[in-house]
């Protein structure tokens, strides 16, 4: 009987790409992958340290695994496993915890799959996480997440990612292109480039500080890979998003006009306290440049509310800044203290009820921004890539500039690209359209 393995991924696109790679290593060892809700011999949970209540969430998922199979072997990997391995190992039912460098060798640590009395921990000093392991996700959805970079050399005062993932390091251009071709060969139409700080691409490309290539070099080469219909850049720091990259996307064959650029605060005073590497003026400049060459581009923004020392005035500065900015949606994060970060020791702690109120205000602003962006695109012709899920009789898809559309369910549309005209916004805020022509299957 072949053994069965199931996976649960918390957190970012990067985690999804790594879970997929780890899953393929199990398949190579003769395991069959099943859904996490099914009975499996081993459950692997890829953890995240960014989301609040990560430990509570983790315990719930472990219980879910035990409910499916009381005797199953449970392993934890990922960022939270690197930062607080013992905490996870102490959770009832956990057998194995692997840190940043060990997670890709997980099959080496699994012997007879018998339950341990205590969670066994194998985690490195984060200084040892200095080598690069490439990964990408396929088989999970219509688009693939392709990892091109890992780790971060920035020292933002609120962030534990450098402690969880180590120094900035990159895949080689050749390797990224090979992975892109492999993905394309699986009939996947869209690739999302992902990493911790992808604009820093090139660093550590040869296993040392020497590097030959930049992010611009990478996207230039990827744009030439045949068979890939769409390439999307995930989150990129404003100070690393260069004019040349914006210009390349505007003229590109495959890169789509969609950028996600972290801001974190619209107050220069707070940005300095966060140790971000830009001021708000640079952010305005980046948005203006994108809109100048791609007027219909979608721009998403990350914002943190309730950072220590953020007064009502600072928050209003951020709110007004975002109101006036030509952006399309917000990802709002309520600040939460993280061990071993500078911000956790700072004065001026913002009460949780104030943090939540500010978060709610910005989420409301995001709804307005998205609506205004969608309205500005009505009547235009776009290309939609349809997803694979049937949700209550509807199929959903995204235009190149990240407008979510819906239509009555039709299985023939799954994973196909169609040219459409955007007609109206539905009651649920999604866009209805009319087909112009079918041009790719």
């Amino acid at each position: 009987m072949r053994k069965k393995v199931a996976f649960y991924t918390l957190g970012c696109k990067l985690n999804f790409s790594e879970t997929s790679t780890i899953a393929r290593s199990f398949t190579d060892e003769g395991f069959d992958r099943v859904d996490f809700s099914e009975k499996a011999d081993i459950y692997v949970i890829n953890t995240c340290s960014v989301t609040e209540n990560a430990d509570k969430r983790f315990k719930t998922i472990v219980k879910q695994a035990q409910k499916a199979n009381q005797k199953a072997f449970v392993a934890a990997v990922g960022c939270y496993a690197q930062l607080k391995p013992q905490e996870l190992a102490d959770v009832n039912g956990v057998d194995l915890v692997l840190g940043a460098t060990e997670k890709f060798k997980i099959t080496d640590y699994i012997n007879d799959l018998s339950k341990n009395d205590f969670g066994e921990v194998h985690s490195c000093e984060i200084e040892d996480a200095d080598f690069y392991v490439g990964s990408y996700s396929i088989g999970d959805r219509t688009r693939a997440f392709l990892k091109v970079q890992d780790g971060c050399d920035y020292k933002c005062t609120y962030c534990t990612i450098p402690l969880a993932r180590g120094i900035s390091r990159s895949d080689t251009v050749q390797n990224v292109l090979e992975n892109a071709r492999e993905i394309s060969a699986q009939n996947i139409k869209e690739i999302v480039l992902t990493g911790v700080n992808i604009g820093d691409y090139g660093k550590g490309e040869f296993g040392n500080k020497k590097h030959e290539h930049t992010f611009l070099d990478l996207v230039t080469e990827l744009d030439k890979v045949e068979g890939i219909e769409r390439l999307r850049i995930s989150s990129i720091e404003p100070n690393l998003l260069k004019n040349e990259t914006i210009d390349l996307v505007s003229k590109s064959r495959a890169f789509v006009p969609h950028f996600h650029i972290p801001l974190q605060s619209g107050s220069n005073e707070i940005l300095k306290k966060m140790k971000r590497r830009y001021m708000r003026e640079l952010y305005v400049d980046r948005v203006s440049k994108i809109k100048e060459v791609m007027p219909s581009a979608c721009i998403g923004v990350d914002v943190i509310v309730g950072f220590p020392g953020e007064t009502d005035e600072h928050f209003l500065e951020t709110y007004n800044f975002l109101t006036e900015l030509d952006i399309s949606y917000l990802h709002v994060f309520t600040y939460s203290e993280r061990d071993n970060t500078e911000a956790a020791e700072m004065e001026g702690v913002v009460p949780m009820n104030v943090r939540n109120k500010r978060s709610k205000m910005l989420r409301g602003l995001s709804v307005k921004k998205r609506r205004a962006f969608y309205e500005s695109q009505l009547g235009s012709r776009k290309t939609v890539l349809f997803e694979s899920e049937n949700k209550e009789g509807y199929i959903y898809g995204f235009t190149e500039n990240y407008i979510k559309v819906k239509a009555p369910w039709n299985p023939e549309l799954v994973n196909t690209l169609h040219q459409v005209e955007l007609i109206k916004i539905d009651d649920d805020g999604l866009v209805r359209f009319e087909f112009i022509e079918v041009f790719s299957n």
Side-chain angles (χ1 to χ4, degrees):
M1 280 285 288
R2 284 164 70 92
K3 299 279 187 193
K4 291 177 181 174
V5 61
F7 296 87
Y8 198 107
T9 306
L10 291 160
C12 61
K13 296 179 177 77
L14 182 55
N15 270 7
F16 276 97
S17 79
E18 292 183 342
T19 298
S20 202
T21 296
I22 292 166
R24 289 194 290 279
S25 72
F26 274 93
T27 309
D28 293 343
E29 294 289 330
F31 283 79
D32 287 330
R33 183 175 180 177
V34 297
D35 191 77
F36 201 83
S37 59
E38 295 177 45
K39 186 175 180 180
D41 300 285
I42 176 166
Y43 293 90
V44 180
I45 304 165
N46 194 353
T47 63
C48 172
S49 65
V50 176
T51 49
E52 202 176 354
N53 300 326
D55 52 342
K56 284 184 195 161
R57 188 87 194 275
F58 178 75
K59 284 173 185 166
T60 306
I61 296 159
V62 172
K63 281 181 184 158
Q64 205 180 315
Q66 288 181 304
K67 198 173 169 187
N69 182 5
Q70 193 69 41
K71 294 175 182 171
F73 189 91
V74 177
V77 300
C79 291
Y80 204 66
Q82 174 64 33
L83 289 172
K84 300 200 170 175
Q86 202 51 54
E87 206 171 282
L88 295 190
D90 291 341
V91 172
N92 185 36
V94 174
D95 300 289
L96 179 68
V97 179
L98 298 179
T101 62
E102 293 80 11
K103 62 189 170 191
F104 292 107
K105 301 181 291 218
I106 183 169
T107 54
D108 297 348
Y109 291 96
I110 292 160
N111 301 318
D112 57 359
L113 293 185
S114 53
K115 297 289 285 175
N116 294 326
D117 293 335
F118 303 100
E120 195 180 301
V121 173
H122 296 275
S123 80
C124 64
E125 292 302 317
I126 198 57
E127 291 75 27
D128 298 334
D130 58 359
F131 57 90
Y132 185 85
V133 179
S135 56
Y136 59 83
S137 69
I138 54 172
D140 301 337
R141 51 193 72 204
T142 313
R143 62 185 63 86
F145 300 134
L146 172 56
K147 174 180 165 185
V148 300
Q149 182 274 344
D150 201 349
C152 188
D153 293 342
Y154 286 12
K155 298 287 185 283
C156 300
T157 54
Y158 52 84
C159 185
T160 57
I161 295 297
L163 300 172
R165 283 188 169 270
I167 59 169
S168 179
R169 53 210 190 274
S170 311
D171 207 346
T172 62
V173 170
Q174 187 186 350
N175 222 12
V176 173
L177 295 177
E178 274 174 29
N179 284 341
R181 288 186 192 102
E182 279 179 32
I183 293 167
S184 156
Q186 307 269 345
N187 194 30
I188 289 171
K189 303 283 195 292
E190 181 173 308
I191 294 176
V192 183
L193 302 186
T194 183
V196 175
N197 187 357
I198 63 172
D200 207 25
Y201 175 84
K203 264 194 192 165
E205 192 185 348
F206 302 103
N208 52 31
K209 285 293 172 192
K210 180 181 166 231
H211 75 95
E212 205 176 290
H213 297 102
T214 62
F215 185 66
L216 178 63
D217 295 333
L218 180 71
V219 292
T220 303
E221 290 307 310
L222 275 167
D223 200 33
K224 298 172 188 168
V225 176
E226 285 180 27
I228 301 170
E229 304 271 359
R230 275 187 182 179
L231 285 156
R232 202 177 288 275
I233 297 168
S234 66
S235 187
I236 184 165
E237 295 282 304
N239 52 304
L240 295 173
L241 178 56
K242 306 297 184 196
N243 282 348
E244 294 83 357
T245 304
I246 295 170
D247 284 332
L248 179 133
V249 172
S250 74
K251 302 181 182 86
S252 166
R253 176 194 66 81
F255 277 95
V256 294
H258 174 207
F259 294 87
H260 193 93
I261 315 167
L263 169 68
Q264 312 310 14
S265 175
S267 158
N268 281 343
E269 202 179 319
I270 297 296
L271 287 172
K272 283 175 189 166
K273 287 187 79 174
M274 290 175 164
K275 288 193 180 168
R276 300 293 286 159
R277 297 194 177 195
Y278 54 87
M279 293 290 103
R280 56 186 257 162
E281 289 76 14
L282 175 88
Y283 202 92
V284 172
D285 184 67
R286 299 297 74 207
V287 171
S288 304
K289 171 66 182 171
I290 291 166
K291 288 293 184 175
E292 179 194 319
V293 294
M294 289 171 275
S296 65
C298 177
I299 302 175
V301 185
D302 286 340
V303 200
I304 295 171
V305 295
F307 188 81
E310 185 188 64
T311 61
D312 285 344
E313 288 74 25
H314 289 132
F315 172 70
L316 282 174
E317 212 182 330
T318 296
Y319 188 91
N320 293 333
F321 180 71
L322 288 165
T323 301
E324 289 164 25
L325 213 52
D326 192 2
I327 51 144
S328 317
Y329 64 90
L330 305 171
H331 279 175
V332 184
F333 298 89
T334 306
Y335 172 77
S336 63
E337 287 74 5
R338 290 284 176 265
D339 291 345
N340 303 316
T341 59
E342 273 187 67
E345 309 298 319
M346 286 180 183
E347 292 175 359
V349 173
V350 178
M352 197 49 84
N353 65 322
V354 177
R355 295 184 212 184
N356 291 337
K357 183 183 166 193
R358 290 175 185 171
S359 178
K360 195 173 176 185
M361 281 177 72
L362 280 184
R363 289 199 170 104
L365 179 62
S366 181
V367 170
K368 287 180 193 164
K369 285 284 185 184
R370 195 185 295 269
R371 176 90 190 188
F373 175 61
Y374 280 13
E375 282 176 355
S376 76
Q377 298 300 298
L378 294 180
S380 65
R381 294 185 166 200
K382 298 291 171 202
T383 307
V384 172
L385 173 59
F386 287 96
E387 312 254 298
S388 55
E389 264 181 288
N390 178 350
K391 287 184 187 168
E392 295 172 2
Y394 287 96
I395 189 167
Y396 298 86
F398 285 92
T399 63
E400 59 271 53
N401 61 342
Y402 212 55
I403 292 168
K404 193 171 185 181
V405 303
K406 65 186 275 198
W409 172 253
N410 176 356
E412 287 176 19
L413 291 176
V414 170
N415 196 35
T416 62
L417 286 153
H418 293 268
Q419 218 177 350
V420 304
E421 184 177 338
L422 304 179
I423 300 298
K424 63 173 186 143
I425 301 173
D426 225 341
D427 294 342
D428 57 5
L430 304 185
V431 177
R432 295 292 197 128
F433 60 87
E434 285 176 2
F435 285 104
I436 295 166
E437 59 171 328
V438 178
F439 75 94
S440 179
N441 278 312

